[in-house]
Amino acid sequence: MRDTFVNTATALLDDDPRTAVVLADISASSFGPAARQHPDRVLNVGIREQLMVGVAGGLALTGLRPIVHSYATFAVDRAYEQLKLDLDHQGVGAVVVSVGASYDGASMGRTHMSPGDVALLDTLTDWTVHVPGHPAEVPGLLRAAVRHDDRVYLRLSTQVNEVPLPAAGRLAVLRRGSVGAALVVAVGPMLRPVLEAVAGLDVTVAYTHTPRPFDVVGLRELVGAATSAGTAPAVVLVEPYLAGTSSALLGAALGGVPHRSLSLGVGRTDLRRYGEPADHARWHGLDPAGLRRSITEFLG
C-alpha cells in the first residue's frame, strides 16, 4: 500500500498544481524524484511531526491541497493538537496518509503502534476515514480525497485482503446468510481473517473501507431482514484498530432497533511486547482462530 500511495501521490503532483506533500523524514527518499521535480510542493520538515501538520494547515489556507504522511503514531497521536487547531479549528482540510496501522511496526516497539488513531479523530469534526483492505483500493481513494478540501484520513497497512473491492463508501455484501442470520461487518484488512473465521457459519458478511462516515443506511437495511423475521439482529463489527471505537456510532445507527452487538478490535491493554504483526493479531484475538472463538461464543 505504501508504494502504491507514493506512486499515486507523485502522479498527482505532476497532474494537479494544487497538490502538495508534507513529510517529516518518513518516506522522504521515496519522494526524492518528486521533490526534485516539484521542490516548492514537496516539503520535508525533518523529524517535526507537529510542524508537518502546521505547515499543511498553512498550505491549505493558501488554496493548496496538502497530503501529510508519516507513521500513524506520529501523524495522529503525536500531532493531535495540530490536527485539532491547525486543521479542524481553522476550518481547512488535508489528506493525512499514515502507515504502521495498529501494530505493523511492532518490531520497533510501542513508539510505532497506534491502535487509537481513529478514536482520536472521532473527537474532531467531520473527518472522512478510509481504511483500504488492498493496495489497489488506494489510488481511487487518494485521488478522490485530493479533489475536494475536506479533512481525510487514509490509513494504510501491510495487512491486506485477497482482492480489492469497490466499496465506494457503502457496505458491500460478500456473503448472505439465512433470514435472521447475524451480520458480521469487516473493516479494511480485517476482511481476510473474518472470511476464514466464519467459514461454515450461518452469517452475512459485509465489507467497508470507509468507516467514517459509516454507511448507516446500508447497516439498517442489512439488519432489517432479521427484524422483520421477528428476531433481534446480532451484529459483529470487526475493526483493525481499538476495540469499541465504533460502538457508539453503531448504537446510534440502530437506535430504536432491538439488537445485540459485539465490537472486536485491538485490546486496550499495552502488551509491552515486540513481535510481528501476526503475533499481535493472535494476542488480540484478531487472527482467524481468535475471531471464530469470539464470534461463536457471542452467537451461542
Side-chain angles (χ1 to χ4, degrees), residues 126-142:
D126 297 332
W127 279 79
T128 295
V129 176
H130 298 303
V131 185
H134 190 279
E137 295 173 7
V138 174
L141 292 173
L142 181 60

Side-chain angles (χ1 to χ4, degrees), residues 102-103 115 190 236-245 262-268 280-281 283-287 291 294:
S102 293
Y103 41 68
M190 287 294 93
V236 180
L237 182 59
V238 186
E239 302 175 286
Y241 32 81
L242 197 64
T245 294
L262 174 66
S263 293
L264 300 176
V266 181
R268 293 177 179 270
H280 283 263
W283 294 332
H284 289 285
L286 294 178
D287 63 326
L291 289 171
S294 296

Side-chain angles (χ1 to χ4, degrees), residues 6 18 34 70 78 123-124 135 152 165 190 206 246 262 267:
V6 171
R18 241 179 36 107
S70 188
R78 182 174 296 176
T123 67
L124 302 178
V152 178
L165 293 169
M190 287 294 93
S246 299
L262 174 66

